Amino acid sequence: MAATFLTSSKSPASTLSKMPVDLSILFIKGVFKTWDLILRAFHPLHLFSKFVLHLPTSLFAREDKTRIVIVGASFAGLEAAQHLAAHGEHIEVTLIDEKEYFEFTPGIFRCFINPHHISDLTCAVDASLGRMVRGRVKDVEDGQARTAQGPSSLPAQDQHARLVSSSSVIIVGGGMAGAELAAEIISAFPSKSVTVIHAHESMCKELPAAAKAYVEQWLRKRGVKLMLHRRVMEFDEHRCVLEGGEVLEADSVYLLCSGMSPRSDAVARNAQPGQVKVQGRINVFAAGDVMMQDDCDEVKSGYLAERNAKIAACNILHHMHGEQLLSYPEDVFGDVSMIPEVYCLSLSKYDGVLAFNNLVVTGRIPAVFKWLIEANSAAAAAPPPPPPPELTLFHVFNWFLMRGMLACKAYCHINGIMSVFASNHLIKPNEALKIHSK
Ligand SMILES: Cc1cc2nc3c(=O)[nH]c(=O)nc-3n(C[C@H](O)[C@H](O)[C@H](O)COP(=O)(O)OP(=O)(O)OC[C@H]3O[C@@H](n4cnc5c(N)ncnc54)[C@H](O)[C@@H]3O)c2cc1C
């Protein structure tokens, strides 16, 4: 059954109407910060009780462990590591990443406008998940991964300086990343000339029609020039040549939005149909953006990276125990057609589009929701406290307080389960709903 909630057109946001978003973010930030302070206040006591009163647990560690290397400590890598830590016995996980921190990539464009925002998007990788090695993996073979030292710079900070000094910007690619970048630039610098060149007839082709229309209308209303159905043939940092020979010039040309291609040079790209297992490899598994399947062309996202990483982690354990491997997407969603399409696109700090299958919510709620996902993802990836050293009231109370951050992890798991349930039973991929939040 399809239900429709009509949207109402909205004039440019006044300062007053932005207040609910600011207040919500302030409130959520306050809760996170307060909790962080409580953790810090109690943590030294905990460390004291652990190391002074008790022998280090590593003295009792088993030596005969199966060693697992995870390349990439992001959505997929951390989800797999968390699953292995929770369910795998006698395994030793090594995480390799060229960055030593987790970064919530979907929020990265706001750092182009405000480089300090990076501290809200990043956190140290939880060392309890495994040994963290910083480096770039050059090659993966059954049984080993070769690394080289990798860079650790934050490109967003360089992009900020470039953007500030540009009065005109061309963004090549009108997908979700292109739309978000254009929205961030035009809302922070309304006087800059922003042009988006896109090869398709409409922006953000993955989104439901109502969401696409909202994005285009939002950008046009603020003066962003959309050149749709135009193909860029050549480009450099200041110039684009379009099909037909038209030449466009700007102070900055951003080409990072012309589609995502996973960096899979270190591993084989083709997974076996229906299985998250890299073709031709005995014990190499793939998940996230890097995972390719012939019969499943899901749009890559952080949400799906976590879902298929969980299957990959299960399959590692099944492989270790000689059990039948699980299939993706069948063993998660039941069927390819039931893979939920989940998008949360921000149009500046105060507006956005949330799409769950064909349910579309636009306006303030998605803006706050995106911020909540951002804060929650960084908190969920952060290191949890160690377990209580003994079952006294003090230790359990202390541990319970520190485990509060795990509410974020729990939320991520519940969110995963709920979204699968909702896609299968409540808002199926072919149902159309539209809500506008002021
Ligand atoms: C601008 C932008 C906006 C986005 N918005 C959204 C959104 O709103 N919602 C959503 O769900 N998704 C969004 N996505 C997509 C989402 O970020 C990705 O699908 C998700 O990050 C995939 O997770 P992953 O773990 O597979 O890979 P990644 O997050 O790309 O992580 C790969 C990790 O591996 C490391 N790595 C890569 N190669 C090597 C190597 N050779 N050696 C060592 N380490 C290596 C990298 O440093 C990185 O930490 C967006 C993506 C971008 C770029």
Side-chain angles (χ1 to χ4, degrees):
M1 194 185 74
T4 305
F5 298 84
L6 288 177
T7 62
S8 62
S9 63
K10 179 172 69 73
S11 59
S14 67
T15 313
L16 198 65
S17 70
K18 287 176 179 172
M19 264 178 66
V21 177
D22 281 330
L23 288 177
S24 311
I25 291 176
L26 210 65
F27 173 74
I28 301 165
K29 235 176 177 166
V31 171
F32 275 87
K33 288 282 175 219
T34 312
W35 199 248
D36 191 46
L37 282 175
I38 294 172
L39 298 193
R40 279 165 206 275
F42 277 83
H43 203 61
L45 284 176
H46 187 87
L47 288 180
F48 174 80
S49 58
K50 181 174 169 73
F51 291 112
V52 178
L53 301 180
H54 295 270
L55 287 170
T57 51
S58 59
L59 284 181
F60 306 104
R62 283 177 57 116
E63 290 303 317
D64 55 337
K65 291 184 171 179
T66 302
R67 289 174 298 153
I68 295 167
V69 172
I70 297 178
V71 182
S74 186
F75 291 92
L78 291 181
E79 179 71 23
Q82 279 167 7
H83 187 86
L84 291 170
H87 301 280
E89 283 177 7
H90 315 313
I91 57 174
E92 186 184 284
V93 172
T94 301
L95 281 151
I96 307 177
D97 201 302
E98 51 194 351
K99 299 188 264 84
E100 69 274 30
Y101 52 87
F102 166 78
E103 167 198 279
F104 182 78
T105 314
I108 204 71
F109 287 137
R110 191 150 304 150
C111 303
F112 285 30
I113 306 304
N114 171 16
H116 302 297
H117 186 57
I118 197 76
S119 60
D120 288 340
L121 300 182
T122 51
C123 71
V125 172
D126 178 358
S128 71
L129 295 177
R131 191 165 67 98
M132 184 73 203
V133 173
R134 216 189 110 213
R136 167 179 265 268
V137 171
K138 289 285 187 195
D139 189 23
V140 174
E141 281 176 19
D142 292 339
Q144 56 176 287
R146 275 190 283 278
T147 65
Q149 191 65 27
S152 70
S153 69
L154 293 169
Q157 286 167 337
D158 305 336
Q159 297 295 347
H160 175 70
R162 183 182 170 203
L163 192 57
V164 168
S165 63
S166 303
S167 59
S168 56
V169 172
I170 291 177
I171 297 167
V172 179
M176 288 192 288
E180 281 201 2
L181 179 57
E184 291 294 339
I185 297 174
I186 203 69
S187 58
F189 307 106
S191 60
K192 287 193 197 296
S193 151
V194 182
T195 304
V196 179
I197 307 173
H198 191 43
H200 297 274
E201 280 173 11
S202 59
M203 303 239 341
C204 310
K205 66 180 166 57
E206 302 86 0
L207 293 179
K212 281 193 274 210
Y214 187 80
V215 172
E216 287 179 12
Q217 189 196 22
W218 193 98
L219 292 171
R220 284 202 169 104
K221 219 179 207 172
R222 284 152 185 83
V224 175
K225 186 176 175 192
L226 303 184
M227 297 181 71
L228 303 178
H229 215 209
R230 303 295 300 272
R231 199 169 282 277
V232 172
M233 305 308 287
E234 274 176 48
F235 56 82
D236 61 29
E237 283 192 358
H238 303 290
R239 190 171 158 273
C240 293
V241 181
L242 304 184
E243 200 172 37
E246 189 180 346
V247 178
L248 296 177
E249 292 189 345
D251 294 332
S252 284
V253 174
Y254 285 91
L255 296 148
L256 69 164
C257 311
S258 55
M260 287 189 293
S261 50
R263 286 169 42 197
S264 54
D265 44 322
V267 290
R269 293 188 61 153
N270 294 324
Q272 284 178 0
Q275 289 191 337
V276 189
K277 186 176 180 187
V278 178
Q279 206 159 30
R281 307 294 179 94
I282 300 164
N283 53 2
V284 179
F285 296 81
D289 281 5
V290 84
M291 185 194 90
M292 308 290 273
Q293 279 181 288
D294 293 337
D295 56 351
C296 173
D297 60 346
E298 63 184 18
V299 176
K300 294 298 179 186
S301 69
Y303 166 79
L304 288 179
E306 288 176 348
R307 302 286 86 72
N308 48 55
K310 184 164 266 181
I311 285 281
C314 287
N315 277 346
I316 290 171
L317 299 176
H318 285 217
H319 178 70
M320 278 168 58
H321 300 126
E323 294 164 2
Q324 172 84 29
L325 299 189
L326 299 175
S327 294
Y328 183 88
E330 291 79 5
D331 287 314
V332 181
F333 300 111
D335 181 59
V336 181
S337 66
M338 280 299 163
I339 296 178
E341 294 180 356
V342 189
Y343 307 105
C344 191
L345 184 140
S346 59
L347 295 167
S348 82
K349 186 179 170 187
Y350 298 102
D351 216 317
V353 175
L354 178 66
F356 184 88
N357 293 332
N358 282 330
L359 165 70
V360 175
V361 184
T362 56
R364 300 282 188 246
I365 290 175
V368 175
F369 194 71
K370 175 102 183 204
W371 194 89
L372 186 60
I373 298 173
E374 204 172 276
N376 189 71
S377 297
E390 61 184 55
L391 289 176
T392 64
L393 193 61
F394 167 74
H395 286 112
V396 172
F397 176 67
N398 183 11
W399 175 82
F400 182 73
L401 276 178
M402 291 197 282
R403 295 289 283 190
M405 267 319 189
L406 291 194
C408 298
K409 290 191 205 299
Y411 165 81
C412 289
H413 289 298
I414 293 167
N415 179 28
I417 295 165
M418 292 289 288
S419 57
V420 174
F421 177 81
S423 185
N424 278 288
H425 303 287
L426 302 177
I427 308 158
K428 295 187 179 173
N430 58 355
E431 293 194 1
L433 296 164
K434 202 162 68 168
I435 299 168
H436 180 72
S437 59
K438 286 201 174 185

